[in-house]
Amino acid sequence: IFSCNRCKITSLSGNLFSSLTNLVELDLSYNLLTSVPIETFKNTPGLRKLSLAYNQLSIIPDYSFSEFTSLESLDLTNCSLINIETFAFASLNSLRVLHLGVNYLTSISGETINGLNNLTELTLYSNQWHCDCSIRSLREYMVIKNIPLSYSPYCSSPERLQGLSWSNLTLDEFA
């Protein structure tokens, strides 16, 4: 377990963790990171839990976590996220917990989490959800996979759904 919580790290480069081949948990929350440091984790195949919460990531590009094949828990809470690209979580076959709460997300494609077959916990609260067909596939995926909403997200738009909880909406209302 390695924690550098509030270390004021602005970037990670090279193989910073290359000697920590048995690293299982890494907490980089409350730093100043602006991107996912992909190259830094090439030699940490056993990483199971990663927290990047409270950084300034804004966008999660495609294949950002391709080196994390054993990752079971990923915390991206309060990262000022505005966009998660479709294949951002590709290769995270072991992921069970994904925290995306308290960001600026308006939509996520169901395809983005479709390959996360072991996902049992997904937090999405406190975002700016535009509850239309663009997130219907995400909500449908959650219903089919029986992923509970412990903290139900609310719709910010369209106006007819503004302020309504996802828990109180049918799939047909995401149209």
Side-chain angles (χ1 to χ4, degrees):
I1 298 173
F2 183 86
S3 179
C4 195
N5 182 308
R6 299 179 196 272
C7 294
K8 298 188 180 185
I9 296 171
T10 56
S11 68
L12 296 171
S13 59
N15 290 325
L16 181 65
F17 299 109
S18 62
S19 63
L20 302 175
T21 54
N22 292 325
L23 185 64
V24 176
E25 289 186 27
L26 179 60
D27 183 355
L28 294 173
S29 59
Y30 293 96
N31 279 291
L32 304 170
L33 296 173
T34 57
S35 64
V36 177
I38 301 167
E39 293 296 315
T40 305
F41 301 108
K42 282 198 178 229
N43 294 313
T44 57
L47 191 65
R48 301 234 185 318
K49 185 174 184 180
L50 175 63
S51 178
L52 295 173
Y54 296 89
N55 280 285
Q56 299 298 308
L57 301 178
S58 74
I59 295 172
I60 305 295
D62 285 339
Y63 308 102
S64 288
F65 301 97
S66 59
E67 300 297 326
F68 301 98
T69 55
S70 298
L71 199 65
E72 295 176 1
S73 177
L74 177 60
D75 190 353
L76 297 170
T77 302
N78 207 337
C79 285
S80 300
L81 290 174
I82 56 171
N83 185 30
I84 297 175
E85 294 184 358
T86 304
F87 301 106
F89 304 128
S91 80
L92 292 180
N93 301 325
S94 300
L95 197 69
R96 292 183 298 111
V97 176
L98 178 58
H99 296 289
L100 299 173
V102 196
N103 283 293
Y104 301 105
L105 298 169
T106 58
S107 118
I108 296 177
S109 165
E111 190 176 355
T112 303
I113 63 161
N114 197 29
L116 305 177
N117 295 323
N118 293 308
L119 198 65
T120 58
E121 183 180 333
L122 177 62
T123 58
L124 301 168
Y125 64 91
S126 293
N127 279 286
Q128 305 295 314
W129 298 115
H130 183 70
C131 297
D132 66 359
C133 59
S134 66
I135 62 170
R136 179 190 166 112
S137 59
L138 169 66
R139 183 64 181 129
E140 187 172 28
Y141 178 86
M142 293 176 71
V143 169
I144 290 168
K145 295 288 188 174
N146 199 26
I147 299 172
L149 289 170
S150 49
Y151 299 103
S152 185
Y154 286 82
C155 300
S156 292
S157 58
E159 189 175 329
R160 67 182 176 80
L161 298 176
Q162 190 173 19
L164 295 179
S165 167
W166 285 22
S167 298
N168 297 331
L169 299 174
T170 65
L171 283 175
D172 289 338
E173 291 176 286
F174 289 89

